[in-house]
Amino acid sequence: MNSPGISRRLLLAGTSAALLPVRSSLAAGIASTPEQTEGPFYPVQFPDDLDNDLVQVRGQAAQAMGTILHLQGRVLDIDGKPMRGVQVEIWQCDSHGIYDHPRQPGHTGRDQAFQGYGRMLAAADGGYSFRTLKPVAYPGRTPHIHLKVARYGGATLTSQFYIAGDPQNARDFVYREAMRDPRQRDRIEMNLQPASGLEPGALATTMDIVVG
Ligand SMILES: [Fe+2]
């Protein structure tokens, strides 16, 4: 963010009032998506259906229970440039708070129609999208969606998205840790909007993932 190039430019610009707006927009930079714990429920075995539609499992007539959420955005580097071809993964519990994971108590009672995990490659403009569920709470955690972005060379960013305004956020230790830097709010809080135009009763949100 505070690159030497910017400092040099400011030095050359002196205190010219005409250039101050440029200074503020450059100096502001963009906040990165904070690294957050992977948690205990990253899949040990990936589902047979590995696409970006978690609501519909290939070969099943039933659709997952819960409120459908269209999650989309772009993967960007810290300069705001799209990161194409990086892998984006998400995973979350079903509408009853149960993960598809052997460590999950009551695992066998999970909603078999929910894929639980999905992944895709970001497009040339960094774009990604998932059809998933509005996350629900489970004991000890506020509602959240886990995500991981894998870059070339194997480096990854692991994080979590939350629902903006959910009263349980303030009591959640992972959320509170991420919010120690309040600039990260827009990177981890999803503003859910009605998206009945996409499908009845659905919600949508746009979350850019900024890899710092
Ligand atoms: Fe979780």
Side-chain angles (χ1 to χ4, degrees), residues 38-41 91-93 99 138 141-142 144-146 160:
E38 179 178 287
F41 297 120
W91 68 101
Q92 64 187 100
C93 62
Y99 281 93
Y138 57 85
R141 291 302 316 276
T142 194
H144 60 279
I145 296 175
H146 295 268
Q160 301 183 25

Side-chain angles (χ1 to χ4, degrees), residues 67-144:
T67 302
I68 292 173
L69 171 64
H70 290 265
L71 166 64
Q72 59 157 24
R74 291 183 302 156
V75 186
L76 306 171
D77 67 19
I78 199 67
D79 296 318
K81 295 197 194 85
M83 294 179 72
R84 70 176 71 185
V86 292
Q87 177 174 267
V88 184
E89 304 170 273
I90 66 167
W91 68 101
Q92 64 187 100
C93 62
D94 69 12
S95 61
H96 302 300
I98 300 176
Y99 281 93
D100 181 8
H101 194 283
R103 213 183 284 171
Q104 167 74 65
H107 165 246
T108 53
R110 70 182 183 87
D111 180 0
Q112 302 279 342
F114 183 51
Q115 195 169 298
Y117 167 92
R119 68 187 180 203
M120 67 170 295
L121 292 179
D125 65 352
Y128 75 91
S129 64
F130 290 96
R131 181 172 179 249
T132 188
L133 297 178
K134 176 186 176 184
V136 301
Y138 57 85
R141 291 302 316 276
T142 194
H144 60 279

Side-chain angles (χ1 to χ4, degrees), residues 36 142 173 184 203:
Q36 295 179 78
T142 194
F173 68 103
Q184 295 175 333
L203 300 169

